[in-house]
Amino acid sequence: MTQIFFLIFVSICLPTYSLLRNTLPEDGRLNFTALGAKYGHPVEEHEVTTEDGYILTFFHIKGKIKPPVFIIHGIADTADTFIIRGKTSLVIALADAGHDVWLANYRGNKYGRRHLKLNPDKDLKFWDFSLHEVGYYDLPAMIDYILQHTGEKKIQTIGHSQGVTTQFVLLSKRPEYNEKIEIMVGLAPVAFLSDVRFPVSLIAQFGPMLGEVFKAIGVEETFPEKSSTTALVRFICSQDVFSYEMCFLLFGFHFVGFDTKRFEPSFLKVLMGHYPGGTSRKNFMHVNQLVLSKRFCEFDYGPKGNLEHYGYIVPPDYNLHKVTTKVALFVGENDVLCTIKDVDMLRTNLPNVVHYHVMEDKVWNHIDFTLGNDMNVTLFPHIFKLLNKLNK
Ligand SMILES: *[C@@H]1O[C@H](CO)[C@@H](O)[C@H](O)[C@H]1NC(C)=O
Ligand SMILES: *[C@@H]1O[C@H](CO)[C@@H](O)[C@H](O)[C@H]1NC(C)=O
């Protein structure tokens, strides 16, 4: 019965959404490349194949100032997130200032849904990855490509949320990459998730059960760009009336922290053209495990699976002492996912923190780092200072 309702719902929503898409503001419809052009910077699309066969499309905006800056997105997100604020976005600010800018897209998002052998629509194996494989395979593939393409020896990185977690995975598991990163700037730097707030803390309790349900019905791709659930969410959230109230006041802000000042209703429609970008169920499961275990550790396959994978009954911790490159940490007091307490724990475990910054405004939340409407005034000057100090 519920299935029938769902089918009716979907069959109405999907076509309506396709119609609606044409009514989204221009920046909600353009992709990364087109947005770059619109804001004055031609974008090159590059392609790299990882050691384990994933084909990723990622982006480059040429600039004279080296070393290159490599920007890495968070969970179920894409490079788009760093450009959809247009003139006020990180990408355009860096490009305007003359930096050589590169943007990651990792496996499973809409720009990374290809593999040499596996078909993402047919082979469940395609989705057998979490933040671990992203850090272990995707980031080094893109980093080596950038170094080779530019002839530089080092890059600087800026990551948001899981875009920082994955770098800690890389630098702890393949410490030779510390030599290739001059400084990493971590915005809402997730490693420990021991202090997530309600309702995320509550939902995490049901995470393992939900994961099993989705596994049982063969759903391994989460929030894909082209799916009925995403269409439904976008349909609801891009209406002219009540969409901000429903999608953000009632829902979204609870998961990232309330800051209505930096995220205005008109921007929701732009965002809906770009988020979510898709990832794997296993990626969410890994994050959920970090919340429940209060550790920063590898994927938990259960006692038997762990013995096979790691030779121990519990998954090993990522060794943060091996992250020897310079690290800058930025945190918001009102971030309900990446809290000050967890970032403090991270800070005491990292050997080379060169800058620690609690955002001045007390309502600064998890997404103000990528989507806030005043980042050009409140955030970017701090980032520029860190990057430029090293260029001298
Ligand atoms: C972006 O859109 C343009 C045309 O609008 C298209 O040619 C290009 O292939 C798209 N790029 C990606 C990476 O999807
Ligand atoms: C920041 O961006 C806003 C909106 O685009 C603009 O009005 C303002 O002049 C910018 N401020 C600075 C210091 O760049």
Side-chain angles (χ1 to χ4, degrees), residues 18 62 77-78 85 116 120 122 142 147 158-160 165 168 176 209 228-229 237-238 250 286 303 354-355 388:
S18 327
K62 264 203 188 114
D77 212 350
T78 68
R85 270 293 180 185
L116 290 178
K122 296 205 179 97
M142 287 183 274
L147 294 178
I158 302 172
H160 175 240
T165 328
F168 291 143
E176 65 275 19
M209 193 186 76
S228 43
T229 350
C237 299
S238 41
L250 273 177
H286 195 166
V354 294
H355 186 81
N388 293 336

Side-chain angles (χ1 to χ4, degrees), residues 24 66 80 88 143 151 194 232 304 367:
L24 288 182
K66 303 282 180 358
D80 294 4
T88 319
I143 291 172
S194 71
L232 189 65
K304 194 160 159 271
I367 55 174

Side-chain angles (χ1 to χ4, degrees), residues 87-88 376-377:
K87 281 191 187 348
T88 319
N376 60 337
V377 179

Side-chain angles (χ1 to χ4, degrees), residues 81-90 160 187 248 253 256 259-264 267 271 359 361 363-380:
T81 216
F82 297 104
I83 201 170
I84 56 179
R85 270 293 180 185
K87 281 191 187 348
T88 319
S89 67
L90 182 61
H160 175 240
L187 309 174
F248 264 79
F253 280 131
V256 292
D259 184 1
T260 48
K261 193 169 57 180
R262 293 196 170 78
F263 187 108
E264 66 286 8
F267 183 64
L271 181 66
M359 297 308 291
D361 190 344
V363 301
W364 194 279
N365 71 14
H366 196 69
I367 55 174
D368 286 337
F369 287 109
T370 51
L371 303 176
N373 56 15
D374 64 354
M375 296 178 291
N376 60 337
V377 179
T378 47
L379 176 65
F380 300 164

